[in-house]
């Protein structure tokens, strides 16, 4: 059983302990507190130390304010390496330094004692309790923090110069202003506030016997500041692995680049961008393990098995870099792909759920050549079959959870070198046909946009659209027109696929309530007194409709709807997905 040292301490007891020598390690994230977090801390401390704005209402023997846990372990250099609480600890150090600067020239006995107590918290002291201002009680080695030198400088010199632009400098200046405001309002009580911060604000230091134990403890705690993501935990494990190999600096450089790439391509996803990359990698590893269990483990639970053995090898970081590079090519529509493949990838970006991205990740990792490239023809076949199956399956078994049942076995087939077939989950043609015909394609249902994106690229002359373009659903026959004219015999025709297309958001807004002849101008682009207005994401089918019809009627809606339905069934059949 792991041993823990837990004993709540005041800020003064914890920081001034001669054994306290804190280190914020390489794998932690940069300091991130802003004015909102600092203001909350200041307000809380002030309300605690001056109840109802009255210094005399404070009970110094019994009143305590709990600031939260600090999780550390003692590393090989005998330093307290901070796993959890570094944001809070850093902020408290800056607050104490701001107090010390203000107290420095004050001469009365109370302020002198408080100043000495603060000095022992910030700097190491000799046997006569004299501070050595060249030796701080905290240091930062955060690899991705280019401003950490400003943190050290502020603590040493008590000044945030005008040239300093870091969050450390912002926090220090914030506390300087609040302290001066406090001094102006309560000059005779000034020494009470830092004294009560030191002696009555409580931290819960949890010292673990190892980094692994500290990380496990962290995972059960909810840090008041910005909690570490799963990826921060993985980074710590990889850092330790590469440090033992003597490749720490190389790892830090590679990891930083991996973070930058992930932020560029996964920033729109929920959660941490790096967590998204690790999730994609997890599905590949699951498939290699032959795991077809439809209940997917949490990311951290998956990787922490056997002491993070899946990460503690040279292959893992290489794989992550290759996978990130592949998705960068997808998201930037790189010319490493042909136009027809890029169009398929664009369509998949509108898939009714995100499972396709994990499926494609497994395919890429299993089929790449030595140059990390895919065979274009085989990729084209794979993407067509993926689109057809996921879209068709959505009509008969909606929901991402349902899709796991057929997708997971195919992932295993892929890593074993087989072509995807879905042979064990072939679809019933009549069931899919009935499903699509009875489906109500409201705008809020994901499959609606999915079908419209697929249909747009069935037009051979449709040019590739930038993947970052925001497309909205256009009603060719507008809802407003039906409200005014009521010329549709069945109002449900408004929501049929034959009445919908995808248009760039700003064009969709312009064309929303116009008669068809007016809409046609926006579909084609037109010249006005302000110059030529051009549809930047031109839907070639709408251009054809604009030139073909003087009006768009209910009959046109129904005919186009039938055309989309029948074409889709033929598409699925061509992929050999029907029984």
């Amino acid at each position: 059983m792991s041993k823990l040292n837990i004993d709540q301490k005041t800020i003064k007891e914890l920081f001034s302990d001669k054994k306290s020598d804190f280190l914020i390690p390489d794998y932690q994230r940069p300091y991130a507190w802003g004015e909102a977090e600092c203001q909350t801390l200041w307000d809380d401390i002030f309300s605690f130390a001056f109840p109802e704005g009255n210094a005399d209402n404070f009970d110094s023997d019994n009143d305590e304010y709990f600031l939260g846990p600090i999780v550390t372990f003692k590393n090989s250099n005998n330093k307290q390496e901070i796993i959890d609480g570094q944001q809070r600890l850093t902020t408290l150090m800056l607050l104490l330094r701001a107090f010390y600067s203000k107290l420095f020239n004050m001469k009365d006995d109370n302020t002198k004692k408080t100043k000495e107590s603060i000095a022992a918290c910030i700097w190491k002291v000799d046997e006569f309790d004299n501070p050595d201002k060249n030796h701080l009680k905290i240091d930062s080695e955060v690899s991705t923090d280019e401003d950490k030198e400003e943190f050290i400088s502020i603590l040493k010199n008590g000044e945030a110069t005008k040239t300093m632009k870091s969050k450390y400098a912002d926090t220090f200046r914030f506390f300087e202003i609040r302290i001066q405001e406090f001094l102006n309002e309560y000059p005779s009580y000034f020494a009470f506030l830092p004294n009560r911060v030191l002696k009555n604000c409580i931290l819960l230091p949890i010292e673990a016997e190892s980094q692994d134990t500290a990380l496990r403890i962290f995972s059960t705690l909810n840090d008041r500041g910005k909690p570490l993501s799963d990826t921060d935990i993985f980074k710590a494990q990889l850092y330790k692995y590469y440090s033992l190999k003597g490749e720490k600096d190389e790892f830090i450089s590679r990891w930083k680049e991996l973070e930058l790439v992930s932020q560029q391509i996964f920033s729109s996803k929920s959660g941490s961008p790096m967590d998204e990359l690790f999730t994609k990698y997890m599905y590949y590893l699951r498939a290699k393990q032959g795991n077809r269990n439809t209940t997917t483990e949490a990311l951290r639970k998956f990787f922490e098995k056997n002491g993070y053995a899946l990460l503690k090898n040279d292959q893992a970081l290489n794989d992550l870099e290759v996978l990130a590079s592949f998705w960068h090519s997808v998201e930037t529509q790189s010319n490493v792909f042909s136009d027809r493949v890029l169009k398929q990838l664009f369509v998949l970006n509108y898939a009714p759920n995100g499972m396709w991205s994990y499926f494609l990740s497994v395919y890429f990792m299993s089929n790449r050549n030595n140059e990390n490239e895919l065979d274009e023809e085989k990729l084209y076949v794979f993407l067509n079959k993926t689109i057809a199956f996921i879209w068709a399956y959505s009509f008969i078994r909606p929901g991402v959870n349902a899709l796991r049942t057929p997708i997971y076995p195919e992932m295993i087939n892929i890593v074993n070198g087989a072509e995807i077939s879905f042979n064990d989950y072939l679809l019933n043609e009549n069931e899919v046909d009935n499903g699509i015909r009875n489906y109500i394609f409201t705008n809020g249902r994901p499959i609606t946009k999915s079908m419209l994106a697929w249909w747009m690229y069935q037009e051979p002359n449709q040019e590739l659209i930038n993947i970052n373009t925001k497309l909205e659903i256009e009603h060719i026959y507008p809802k407003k027109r039906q409200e005014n004219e009521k010329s549709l015999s069945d109002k449900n025709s408004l929501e049929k696929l034959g009445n919908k297309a995808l248009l760039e958001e700003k064009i969709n807004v312009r064309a929303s309530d116009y008669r068809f002849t007016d809409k046609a101008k926006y579909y084609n682009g037109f010249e006005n007194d302000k110059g030529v207005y051009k549809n930047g994401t031109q839907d070639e089918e709408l251009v054809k409709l604009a030139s073909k019809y003087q009006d768009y009627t209910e009959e046109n809606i129904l005919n186009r709807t039938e055309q989309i339905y029948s074409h889709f069934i033929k598409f699925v059949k061509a992929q050999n997905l029907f029984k």
Side-chain angles (χ1 to χ4, degrees), residues 82-98:
I82 303 169
I83 295 295
D84 182 33
Q86 64 116 336
Q87 303 282 333
R88 184 165 52 252
L89 204 64
T90 300
T91 304
L92 289 172
M93 278 289 187
L94 292 167
L95 172 62
L96 292 178
R97 189 61 178 90

Side-chain angles (χ1 to χ4, degrees), residues 337-399:
F337 302 114
S338 65
D339 267 7
R340 65 175 185 168
V341 165
L342 286 174
K343 289 177 180 180
Q344 290 173 310
L345 292 170
F346 180 97
V347 171
L348 278 164
N349 201 50
Y350 284 85
N353 56 65
M355 183 56 70
W356 72 274
S357 68
Y358 307 128
F359 196 40
L360 179 55
S361 295
V362 174
Y363 179 84
F364 166 72
M365 294 298 291
S366 304
N367 288 277
R368 59 196 170 108
N369 61 21
N370 292 334
E371 283 73 44
N372 297 313
E373 296 172 342
L374 293 171
D375 180 275
E376 199 271 348
E377 181 61 33
K378 290 181 178 179
L379 176 60
Y380 181 72
V381 171
F382 169 82
L383 294 176
N384 261 341
K385 188 158 287 192
T386 299
I387 293 169
F389 186 85
I390 291 177
W391 267 237
Y393 202 78
S394 295
F395 290 116
I396 58 175
R397 303 283 189 277

Side-chain angles (χ1 to χ4, degrees), residues 152-193:
I152 302 303
S153 174
I154 291 168
L155 291 184
K156 283 184 176 181
N157 304 313
E159 180 186 15
T161 64
K162 292 182 180 180
T163 58
M164 291 182 177
K165 306 296 182 182
S166 66
K167 286 187 175 291
Y168 300 111
D170 291 341
T171 293
F172 184 77
R173 294 187 193 106
F174 172 87
F175 287 131
E176 281 188 313
I177 292 169
R178 295 296 173 269
I179 289 169
Q180 184 60 52
E181 291 172 348
F182 175 77
L183 178 60
N184 293 340
E185 188 168 355
Y186 302 96
S188 60
Y189 289 102
F190 178 72
F192 285 89
L193 183 56

Side-chain angles (χ1 to χ4, degrees), residues 51-92:
E52 300 176 353
N54 189 336
D56 297 329
N57 290 344
F58 186 80
D59 183 350
S60 59
D61 292 327
N62 297 302
D63 286 349
E64 293 180 340
Y65 180 66
F66 182 61
L67 286 166
I70 302 290
V71 181
T72 66
F73 75 97
K74 190 166 288 187
N75 66 17
S76 57
N77 294 320
N78 214 32
K79 290 180 178 287
Q80 293 293 333
E81 198 162 309
I82 303 169
I83 295 295
D84 182 33
Q86 64 116 336
Q87 303 282 333
R88 184 165 52 252
L89 204 64
T90 300
T91 304
L92 289 172

